[in-house]
Amino acid sequence: MMSSDQNVFGKKLYIESYGCAMNFSDSEIVASILTASGYATTRNEEEAQVVLINTCSIRDNAELRVRNRLNHFNVRKRKQPGLVVGILGCMAERLKSTLLEEEKIVDLVVGPDAYRDLPLLIEQVEGGQKAVNVLLSREETYAEINPVRLDNSGVTSFVSIMRGCDNMCSFCVVPFTRGRERSRDPETIVHEVKYLFEQGYREVTLLGQNVDSYRWNITKKGEIIEPGKSTVNFAQLLELVALVSPQIRVRFSTSHPKDMVDEVLHTMARHHNICKYIHLPVQSGSSSVLERMNRGYSREWYLDRIAAIRRIMPDCAISTDIITGFCGETEAEHAETASLMREVGYEFAYMFKYSERPKTLAERKFKDDIPEAIKQQRLEEIIQIQHESSHQRNIQAVGKVFEVLIEGNSKKSDKSLHGRNSQNQVVVFERGNHQKGTYVNVKITACTSATLIGEVV
Ligand code: 5AD
Ligand code: SF4
């Protein structure tokens, strides 16, 4: 990795990321591509000649946030006319060149599959032109690019294993912004994880929009692409990564209830270092809403998957995503979501009000007919249920001993350290002589609704 000190003559690049983990991971690929052509990354936007904003389109408010940031850079650009401002990611893909026309300060618009083109596009901007590349690809996985780690914790890292999404959930803009689903060569994934381990990293999170449909050398229909070469499915990939070292933890995100097979659960159960935590977005507890969402499963199917997790890994934590106020959602349908939440007892949930996105199936087929106030009221109701559920889960952890990977100082005091247990719960404890990047056994003595508090045993 090149530090800014080694690159005194190079230009400085500042990247800001919004949205999902995949976007943060993509920014590290962008940093790698631009570092290779002589840029140095900086955390200080004031000293940058190139500012890139990696954007999210998932909900309307995500896009609003970016537009506000652009206003901020607009002020800077008046003081520093040579400043290059570029939009990357999902908003770039969704809005394409209209961003150049509407947002007068944007010089550069680059979609998620066109990052290899960035050095050339920036040159073009420096030559006085605007530059756009929003071509989506069926092959691009940035497989061999070794990302420049931007978060700097040095302990945990994301590793992208696939790109795009073929699911077509009716509410979701992702298939339009990130294109067709494709998997990354497993050899390059294992190579990246080995490299991270040698650099001192002790946890990787394998990323994909739907990790359960990861497949290498095999088509969706199950036909082998290159006979004589081995095939790899997600369970097998998980195992390959877990075998890099028993000292490196493996997490993954996101699973899809319609594709999550028991083979993955058995692989998780077999390996101590595959964390006992699954993020399994349900979106709604009502089968009729799930049908309108085009999710490909029913409430019963989802609950069967939860039962499989509990059967195969009784100590596994489960989290979810939920949308309130989707098109036509009745009080009874909403009540089914509430009852499912109580039945599952999630450790954690990300909860959202439905936000209509242009071009999606839902926008074309249904009316966004639930009033904002009702969306909000339903959201508050499920947030309350989740709050109680998280608290309950934390109370159940008190008295137990967990293996915790230390990630660094606690936010509140330098006398304390924080880390997470396999179940992804945050654990805070006294520093002692312990170092980040090592494992300790911590006995939980107390908790809040968000954090476990304990002592090293
Ligand atoms: N409105 C609200 N929430 C959405 N999500 C995706 N699309 C929308 C939308 N149009 C949520 C889903 C998904 C998470 C990443 O964002 O819950 O799982
Ligand atoms: Fe946002 Fe979805 Fe794009 Fe991630 S993939 S940045 S969540 S729109």
Side-chain angles (χ1 to χ4, degrees):
M1 194 192 293
M2 219 182 282
S3 82
S4 33
D5 306 325
Q6 285 169 296
N7 198 337
V8 279
F9 304 113
K11 273 179 266 176
K12 296 239 167 93
L13 161 74
Y14 173 78
I15 311 184
E16 198 164 272
S17 309
Y18 293 85
C20 63
M22 187 68 86
N23 244 21
F24 283 76
S25 166
D26 277 1
S27 292
E28 302 188 327
I29 288 169
V30 167
S32 173
I33 290 168
L34 287 172
T35 306
S37 35
Y39 288 84
T41 56
T42 172
R43 285 161 173 279
N44 177 6
E45 55 164 281
E46 299 292 327
E47 63 177 25
Q49 289 87 41
V50 177
V51 169
L52 300 176
I53 310 178
N54 198 353
T55 61
C56 173
S57 290
I58 198 94
R59 284 168 291 275
D60 194 41
N61 55 15
E63 293 199 351
L64 277 176
R65 249 209 324 273
V66 169
R67 288 186 191 270
N68 287 336
R69 271 310 267 170
L70 280 176
N71 290 337
H72 162 84
F73 287 111
N74 200 4
V75 176
R76 273 211 43 210
K77 205 163 166 155
R78 262 182 251 137
K79 283 189 268 176
Q80 188 188 336
L83 181 71
V84 175
V85 178
I87 301 273
L88 313 180
C90 291
M91 251 177 106
E93 193 60 49
R94 196 178 84 69
L95 297 166
K96 306 189 168 58
S97 56
T98 56
L99 274 172
L100 297 179
E101 291 137 28
E102 287 167 18
E103 304 287 344
K104 290 277 182 281
I105 61 151
V106 176
D107 306 298
L108 184 69
V109 178
V110 187
D113 287 345
Y115 296 149
R116 287 183 203 264
D117 213 13
L118 268 166
L120 274 176
L121 295 169
I122 295 176
E123 250 177 59
Q124 194 175 321
V125 170
E126 286 165 345
Q129 284 168 287
K130 303 276 176 186
V132 185
N133 186 347
V134 288
L135 288 178
L136 287 173
S137 157
R138 281 179 173 254
E139 287 91 34
E140 181 64 275
T141 58
Y142 302 109
E144 82 305 344
I145 291 185
N146 198 5
V148 167
R149 305 295 163 186
L150 295 169
D151 74 334
N152 265 348
S153 83
V155 180
T156 65
S157 181
F158 293 124
V159 174
S160 161
I161 64 165
M162 56 202 297
R163 301 181 70 80
C165 184
D166 283 352
N167 281 327
M168 287 302 203
C169 300
S170 65
F171 51 79
C172 190
V173 76
V174 173
F176 304 95
T177 62
R178 287 186 164 271
R180 299 302 297 269
E181 180 191 294
R182 65 220 100 121
S183 297
R184 175 179 172 192
D185 182 341
E187 262 182 50
T188 66
I189 296 170
V190 170
H191 185 267
E192 185 175 331
V193 174
K194 280 187 178 151
Y195 177 76
L196 285 165
F197 182 68
E198 283 158 16
Q199 299 293 304
Y201 284 83
R202 289 296 174 266
E203 182 179 298
V204 292
T205 302
L206 307 181
L207 289 182
Q209 239 69 43
N210 175 5
V211 292
D212 298 292
S213 67
Y214 177 88
R215 66 199 129 77
W216 187 250
N217 195 27
I218 187 162
T219 66
K220 246 184 208 171
K221 294 192 186 119
E223 296 145 355
I224 294 176
I225 299 167
E226 267 191 73
K229 285 200 175 162
S230 51
T231 61
V232 181
N233 65 17
F234 180 59
Q236 292 161 332
L237 178 72
L238 257 184
E239 183 142 72
L240 286 172
V241 172
L243 290 174
V244 165
S245 163
Q247 286 296 307
I248 194 157
R249 275 183 170 180
V250 186
R251 297 185 187 276
F252 54 88
S253 187
T254 298
S255 305
H256 196 300
K258 84 175 157 60
D259 299 320
M260 194 193 67
V261 291
D262 288 3
E263 187 191 354
V264 169
L265 304 177
H266 288 298
T267 304
M268 291 175 74
R270 251 193 338 268
H271 292 274
H272 176 74
N273 59 329
I274 305 181
C275 289
K276 303 300 174 280
Y277 170 70
I278 299 184
H279 182 60
L280 197 66
V282 67
Q283 313 299 359
S284 166
S286 150
S287 293
S288 43
V289 173
L290 290 169
E291 174 94 45
R292 294 201 290 285
M293 288 178 163
N294 198 29
R295 288 286 288 174
Y297 58 87
S298 62
R299 175 189 177 99
E300 291 66 37
W301 173 279
Y302 184 88
L303 288 173
D304 169 75
R305 296 292 73 213
I306 296 288
I309 297 172
R310 302 263 195 252
R311 189 172 63 240
I312 297 166
M313 291 175 290
D315 60 341
C316 190
I318 305 172
S319 64
T320 201
D321 291 347
I322 295 175
I323 299 176
T324 65
F326 184 65
C327 310
E329 185 186 64
T330 62
E331 270 307 320
E333 288 169 335
H334 165 67
E336 286 190 89
T337 297
S339 89
L340 180 129
M341 291 177 78
R342 291 202 174 90
E343 193 168 333
V344 177
Y346 292 106
E347 262 76 11
F348 194 82
Y350 299 89
M351 295 160 281
F352 315 100
K353 285 183 280 188
Y354 174 59
S355 162
E356 187 177 79
R357 309 310 292 134
K359 278 203 197 168
T360 54
L361 277 175
E363 188 232 13
R364 287 181 281 149
K365 265 175 74 178
F366 306 120
K367 243 183 110 187
D368 180 13
D369 55 357
I370 307 302
E372 184 61 24
I374 300 209
K375 285 182 182 172
Q376 181 66 28
Q377 184 196 326
R378 291 178 184 172
L379 178 67
E380 281 165 24
E381 196 182 311
I382 66 168
I383 288 175
Q384 188 52 38
I385 295 173
Q386 186 49 47
H387 189 78
E388 283 158 24
S389 173
S390 297
H391 199 192
Q392 210 49 46
R393 289 287 178 196
N394 280 353
I395 289 170
Q396 285 166 1
V398 174
K400 292 190 183 150
V401 175
F402 293 104
E403 185 181 60
V404 173
L405 171 61
I406 305 176
E407 289 177 22
N409 291 345
S410 128
K411 277 184 207 130
K412 291 200 180 122
S413 145
D414 335 323
K415 290 205 192 98
S416 305
L417 293 169
H418 90 276
R420 276 172 300 150
N421 61 10
S422 178
Q423 288 74 11
N424 210 33
Q425 289 166 300
V426 175
V427 181
V428 173
F429 52 94
E430 230 175 80
R431 169 181 295 280
N433 290 320
H434 304 289
Q435 298 295 326
K436 83 169 179 183
T438 63
Y439 293 95
V440 283
N441 287 320
V442 179
K443 181 169 187 180
I444 307 306
T445 53
C447 71
T448 67
S449 65
T451 311
L452 301 177
I453 299 150
E455 52 202 37
V456 177
V457 291

